[in-house]
Coordinates of all heavy atoms in Angstrom, one line a residue:
M1 N 2.8 -6.8 10.6 CA 2.3 -7.2 9.3 C 1.9 -5.9 8.5 O 1.2 -5.1 9.0 CB 1.0 -8.0 9.5 CG 1.2 -9.3 10.3 SD -0.2 -10.4 10.4 CE -1.5 -9.4 10.7
T2 N 2.5 -5.8 7.3 CA 2.4 -4.6 6.5 C 1.7 -5.0 5.2 O 2.0 -6.0 4.6 CB 3.7 -4.0 6.2 OG1 4.3 -3.7 7.5 CG2 3.6 -2.7 5.4
V3 N 0.8 -4.1 4.7 CA 0.2 -4.2 3.4 C 0.7 -3.0 2.6 O 0.6 -1.8 3.1 CB -1.3 -4.2 3.5 CG1 -1.9 -4.2 2.1 CG2 -1.8 -5.4 4.3
L4 N 1.1 -3.2 1.4 CA 1.5 -2.1 0.5 C 0.5 -2.0 -0.6 O 0.2 -3.0 -1.3 CB 2.9 -2.4 -0.1 CG 3.3 -1.4 -1.2 CD1 3.5 0.0 -0.6 CD2 4.6 -1.9 -1.8
I5 N -0.1 -0.8 -0.8 CA -1.1 -0.6 -1.8 C -0.3 0.3 -2.9 O 0.2 1.4 -2.5 CB -2.3 0.1 -1.3 CG1 -3.0 -0.7 -0.3 CG2 -3.3 0.4 -2.5 CD1 -4.2 0.0 0.4
V6 N -0.3 -0.1 -4.1 CA 0.4 0.6 -5.2 C -0.7 1.1 -6.2 O -1.4 0.2 -6.7 CB 1.4 -0.2 -5.9 CG1 2.1 0.6 -7.0 CG2 2.5 -0.7 -4.9
G7 N -0.8 2.4 -6.4 CA -1.8 2.9 -7.3 C -3.1 3.3 -6.6 O -3.2 3.1 -5.4
G8 N -4.0 3.9 -7.3 CA -5.3 4.3 -6.8 C -5.2 5.7 -6.1 O -4.2 6.0 -5.6
D9 N -6.3 6.4 -6.2 CA -6.3 7.7 -5.6 C -7.2 7.7 -4.4 O -6.8 8.4 -3.4 CB -6.9 8.7 -6.6 CG -6.0 9.0 -7.8 OD1 -4.8 9.0 -7.6 OD2 -6.5 9.2 -8.9
Y10 N -8.3 7.1 -4.4 CA -9.2 7.1 -3.2 C -9.2 5.7 -2.6 O -10.0 4.8 -3.1 CB -10.6 7.5 -3.7 CG -10.6 8.8 -4.4 CD1 -10.7 8.9 -5.8 CD2 -10.4 10.0 -3.7 CE1 -10.6 10.2 -6.4 CE2 -10.4 11.2 -4.3 CZ -10.5 11.3 -5.7 OH -10.4 12.5 -6.3
I11 N -8.4 5.5 -1.6 CA -8.3 4.1 -1.0 C -8.8 4.0 0.4 O -8.5 3.0 1.0 CB -6.8 3.7 -1.1 CG1 -5.9 4.6 -0.3 CG2 -6.4 3.6 -2.6 CD1 -4.6 4.0 -0.1
A12 N -9.5 5.0 0.9 CA -10.0 5.0 2.3 C -10.8 3.8 2.6 O -10.6 3.1 3.6 CB -10.7 6.3 2.6
S13 N -11.7 3.4 1.7 CA -12.6 2.3 2.0 C -11.8 1.0 1.9 O -12.0 0.0 2.7 CB -13.8 2.2 1.0 OG -13.3 2.1 -0.3
L14 N -10.8 0.9 1.0 CA -10.0 -0.3 0.9 C -9.1 -0.4 2.2 O -9.0 -1.5 2.7 CB -9.1 -0.2 -0.3 CG -8.1 -1.3 -0.6 CD1 -8.9 -2.6 -0.7 CD2 -7.3 -1.0 -1.8
K15 N -8.6 0.7 2.7 CA -7.9 0.7 4.0 C -8.7 0.1 5.1 O -8.2 -0.7 5.9 CB -7.4 2.1 4.3 CG -6.1 2.5 3.6 CD -5.6 3.8 4.2 CE -4.3 4.2 3.6 NZ -3.9 5.5 4.2
Q16 N -9.9 0.5 5.2 CA -10.8 0.1 6.3 C -11.0 -1.5 6.2 O -11.0 -2.1 7.2 CB -12.2 0.8 6.2 CG -12.1 2.2 6.6 CD -13.5 2.9 6.4 OE1 -14.4 2.4 5.7 NE2 -13.6 4.1 6.9
K17 N -11.2 -2.0 5.0 CA -11.4 -3.4 4.8 C -10.2 -4.2 5.1 O -10.3 -5.3 5.7 CB -11.9 -3.7 3.4 CG -13.3 -3.2 3.1 CD -13.7 -3.5 1.7 CE -15.1 -2.9 1.5 NZ -15.6 -3.2 0.2
I18 N -9.0 -3.7 4.8 CA -7.8 -4.4 5.1 C -7.5 -4.4 6.6 O -7.1 -5.4 7.2 CB -6.6 -3.7 4.3 CG1 -6.7 -4.0 2.8 CG2 -5.3 -4.2 4.8 CD1 -5.8 -3.3 1.9
T19 N -7.8 -3.2 7.2 CA -7.6 -3.1 8.7 C -8.6 -4.1 9.4 O -8.2 -4.7 10.4 CB -7.9 -1.7 9.2 OG1 -7.0 -0.8 8.5 CG2 -7.7 -1.6 10.6
A20 N -9.8 -4.3 8.9 CA -10.7 -5.2 9.5 C -10.2 -6.7 9.4 O -10.6 -7.5 10.2 CB -12.1 -5.1 8.8
H21 N -9.3 -7.0 8.5 CA -8.7 -8.3 8.4 C -7.5 -8.5 9.3 O -6.9 -9.6 9.2 CB -8.4 -8.7 7.0 CG -9.6 -9.0 6.1 ND1 -10.2 -10.2 6.1 CD2 -10.4 -8.2 5.3 CE1 -11.2 -10.2 5.3 NE2 -11.4 -8.9 4.8
G22 N -7.2 -7.5 10.1 CA -6.1 -7.7 11.1 C -4.8 -7.2 10.7 O -3.8 -7.4 11.4
Y23 N -4.6 -6.5 9.6 CA -3.3 -5.9 9.3 C -3.1 -4.6 10.0 O -4.0 -3.7 10.0 CB -3.2 -5.7 7.7 CG -3.1 -7.0 7.0 CD1 -4.3 -7.6 6.4 CD2 -1.9 -7.6 6.9 CE1 -4.2 -8.8 5.7 CE2 -1.8 -8.8 6.2 CZ -2.9 -9.4 5.6 OH -2.8 -10.6 4.9
A24 N -2.0 -4.5 10.6 CA -1.7 -3.3 11.5 C -1.2 -2.1 10.7 O -1.6 -1.0 11.1 CB -0.7 -3.7 12.6
R25 N -0.4 -2.3 9.7 CA 0.2 -1.2 9.0 C -0.1 -1.2 7.5 O 0.0 -2.3 6.9 CB 1.7 -1.2 9.2 CG 2.4 -0.1 8.6 CD 3.9 0.0 9.1 NE 4.5 1.0 8.4 CZ 5.7 0.9 7.8 NH1 6.4 -0.2 7.8 NH2 6.2 2.0 7.1
I26 N -0.6 -0.1 7.0 CA -0.9 0.0 5.6 C -0.1 1.1 5.0 O -0.2 2.2 5.5 CB -2.4 0.2 5.3 CG1 -3.2 -1.0 5.9 CG2 -2.7 0.3 3.8 CD1 -4.7 -0.8 5.9
E27 N 0.6 0.9 3.9 CA 1.4 1.9 3.3 C 0.9 2.1 1.8 O 0.5 1.1 1.2 CB 2.9 1.6 3.2 CG 3.7 2.7 2.7 CD 5.2 2.6 3.1 OE1 5.5 1.9 4.1 OE2 6.0 3.2 2.4
H28 N 0.8 3.3 1.4 CA 0.2 3.6 0.0 C 1.3 4.3 -0.8 O 1.8 5.3 -0.4 CB -1.0 4.5 0.1 CG -1.6 4.9 -1.2 ND1 -1.9 6.2 -1.5 CD2 -1.9 4.1 -2.3 CE1 -2.4 6.2 -2.7 NE2 -2.4 5.0 -3.2
W29 N 1.6 3.8 -2.0 CA 2.4 4.4 -3.0 C 1.5 4.7 -4.1 O 0.9 3.8 -4.7 CB 3.6 3.5 -3.4 CG 4.6 3.2 -2.4 CD1 4.6 3.6 -1.1 CD2 5.6 2.2 -2.6 NE1 5.7 3.0 -0.5 CE2 6.3 2.2 -1.3 CE3 6.1 1.4 -3.6 CZ2 7.4 1.3 -1.1 CZ3 7.2 0.6 -3.4 CH2 7.8 0.6 -2.2
N30 N 1.4 6.0 -4.5 CA 0.5 6.3 -5.6 C 1.1 5.9 -7.0 O 0.4 5.7 -7.9 CB 0.1 7.8 -5.6 CG 1.3 8.7 -5.8 OD1 2.4 8.3 -6.2 ND2 1.0 10.0 -5.5
G31 N 2.4 5.7 -7.1 CA 3.0 5.2 -8.3 C 3.2 6.2 -9.4 O 3.5 5.9 -10.5
R32 N 2.9 7.5 -9.1 CA 3.0 8.5 -10.2 C 4.4 9.1 -10.3 O 4.7 9.6 -11.4 CB 2.0 9.6 -9.8 CG 0.6 9.2 -9.9 CD -0.3 10.4 -9.5 NE -1.7 9.9 -9.4 CZ -2.6 10.0 -10.3 NH1 -2.3 10.5 -11.5 NH2 -3.8 9.6 -10.1
K33 N 5.2 9.0 -9.3 CA 6.6 9.5 -9.4 C 7.6 8.5 -9.8 O 7.4 7.3 -9.5 CB 7.0 10.1 -8.0 CG 6.1 11.2 -7.5 CD 6.6 11.7 -6.2 CE 5.7 12.8 -5.6 NZ 6.0 13.2 -4.3
K34 N 8.6 8.9 -10.6 CA 9.6 8.0 -11.1 C 10.4 7.3 -10.0 O 10.7 6.1 -10.1 CB 10.6 8.7 -11.9 CG 10.1 9.2 -13.3 CD 11.2 9.8 -14.1 CE 10.7 10.3 -15.4 NZ 11.8 10.9 -16.2
G35 N 10.6 7.9 -8.9 CA 11.3 7.3 -7.8 C 10.7 6.1 -7.1 O 11.4 5.4 -6.4
F36 N 9.4 5.9 -7.3 CA 8.7 4.8 -6.6 C 9.2 3.5 -7.2 O 9.2 2.5 -6.5 CB 7.2 4.9 -6.8 CG 6.6 5.9 -5.9 CD1 6.1 7.1 -6.3 CD2 6.5 5.6 -4.5 CE1 5.5 8.0 -5.4 CE2 5.9 6.5 -3.6 CZ 5.4 7.7 -4.1
N37 N 9.7 3.4 -8.4 CA 10.1 2.1 -8.9 C 11.5 1.7 -8.4 O 11.9 0.6 -8.7 CB 10.1 2.1 -10.5 CG 11.0 3.1 -11.1 OD1 11.7 3.9 -10.3 ND2 11.1 3.2 -12.4
K38 N 12.1 2.6 -7.6 CA 13.4 2.2 -7.1 C 13.4 2.0 -5.6 O 14.4 1.8 -4.9 CB 14.4 3.3 -7.4 CG 14.7 3.4 -8.9 CD 15.7 4.5 -9.2 CE 15.9 4.6 -10.7 NZ 16.9 5.6 -11.1
R39 N 12.2 2.1 -5.0 CA 12.1 2.0 -3.5 C 12.1 0.5 -3.1 O 11.6 -0.3 -3.9 CB 10.8 2.6 -3.0 CG 10.7 4.1 -3.2 CD 9.4 4.7 -2.8 NE 9.4 4.8 -1.4 CZ 8.4 5.3 -0.7 NH1 7.3 5.8 -1.4 NH2 8.4 5.4 0.6
A40 N 12.5 0.3 -1.9 CA 12.5 -1.1 -1.4 C 11.2 -1.3 -0.7 O 10.5 -0.3 -0.2 CB 13.6 -1.2 -0.3
L41 N 10.7 -2.5 -0.7 CA 9.5 -2.8 0.0 C 9.6 -2.6 1.5 O 10.7 -2.8 2.1 CB 9.1 -4.3 -0.2 CG 8.7 -4.7 -1.6 CD1 8.4 -6.2 -1.7 CD2 7.4 -4.0 -2.0
P42 N 8.5 -2.1 2.1 CA 8.6 -1.9 3.6 C 8.8 -3.2 4.3 O 8.4 -4.3 3.8 CB 7.2 -1.4 3.9 CG 6.6 -0.9 2.6 CD 7.2 -1.7 1.6
G43 N 9.5 -3.1 5.5 CA 9.7 -4.3 6.2 C 8.5 -5.1 6.6 O 7.4 -4.4 6.9
R44 N 8.6 -6.4 6.7 CA 7.5 -7.3 7.1 C 6.2 -7.1 6.2 O 5.1 -7.3 6.6 CB 7.1 -7.0 8.5 CG 8.2 -7.4 9.5 CD 7.8 -7.3 10.9 NE 6.7 -8.2 11.2 CZ 6.1 -8.3 12.3 NH1 6.3 -7.5 13.2 NH2 5.1 -9.2 12.4
T45 N 6.4 -6.8 4.9 CA 5.3 -6.7 3.9 C 4.8 -8.1 3.6 O 5.6 -9.0 3.2 CB 5.8 -6.1 2.6 OG1 6.2 -4.7 2.9 CG2 4.6 -6.0 1.6
E46 N 3.5 -8.3 3.9 CA 2.9 -9.6 3.6 C 2.0 -9.6 2.4 O 1.7 -10.7 1.9 CB 2.2 -10.1 4.8 CG 3.1 -10.4 6.0 CD 2.3 -11.0 7.2 OE1 1.1 -11.2 7.0 OE2 2.9 -11.4 8.1
L47 N 1.5 -8.5 2.0 CA 0.6 -8.4 0.9 C 0.8 -7.1 0.1 O 1.0 -6.1 0.7 CB -0.9 -8.4 1.5 CG -2.0 -8.2 0.5 CD1 -2.1 -9.5 -0.3 CD2 -3.3 -8.0 1.3
V48 N 0.8 -7.3 -1.2 CA 0.9 -6.1 -2.1 C -0.3 -6.1 -3.0 O -0.6 -7.1 -3.6 CB 2.2 -6.2 -3.0 CG1 2.3 -5.0 -4.0 CG2 3.5 -6.3 -2.1
V49 N -1.0 -4.9 -2.9 CA -2.2 -4.8 -3.7 C -1.9 -3.7 -4.8 O -1.5 -2.6 -4.5 CB -3.4 -4.2 -2.9 CG1 -4.6 -4.0 -3.7 CG2 -3.7 -5.2 -1.7
I50 N -2.1 -4.1 -6.1 CA -1.8 -3.2 -7.2 C -3.1 -2.9 -7.8 O -3.9 -3.7 -8.2 CB -0.8 -3.9 -8.2 CG1 0.5 -4.3 -7.5 CG2 -0.6 -3.0 -9.4 CD1 1.4 -5.1 -8.4
I51 N -3.3 -1.6 -7.9 CA -4.6 -1.0 -8.4 C -4.3 -0.3 -9.7 O -3.4 0.5 -9.8 CB -5.3 -0.1 -7.5 CG1 -5.6 -0.8 -6.2 CG2 -6.5 0.5 -8.1 CD1 -6.1 0.0 -5.1

């Protein structure tokens, strides 16, 4: 189960809360680079958080 967080600079506390809900893998894309809009979602992504 993967969670993708898009945006945000300081997400440590958000990562802790998501991990407490049982999600094993958390990936963070800061969204500042042009190449991010062409990336594919990580495998088994169940939740996308946009900040």
Side-chain angles (χ1 to χ4, degrees):
M1 300 185 317
T2 302
V3 175
L4 173 63
I5 301 172
V6 180
D9 291 327
Y10 305 103
I11 60 164
S13 62
L14 181 58
K15 278 185 172 183
Q16 289 175 347
K17 291 180 182 183
I18 291 172
T19 303
H21 284 277
Y23 289 96
R25 184 170 175 226
I26 300 171
E27 188 163 335
H28 176 232
W29 295 354
N30 63 14
R32 294 179 190 263
K33 296 180 183 176
K34 288 183 180 180
F36 280 109
N37 60 358
K38 295 181 181 179
R39 295 178 78 177
L41 290 175
R44 297 185 62 187
T45 299
E46 293 188 359
L47 178 65
V48 178
V49 179
I50 301 173
I51 301 175

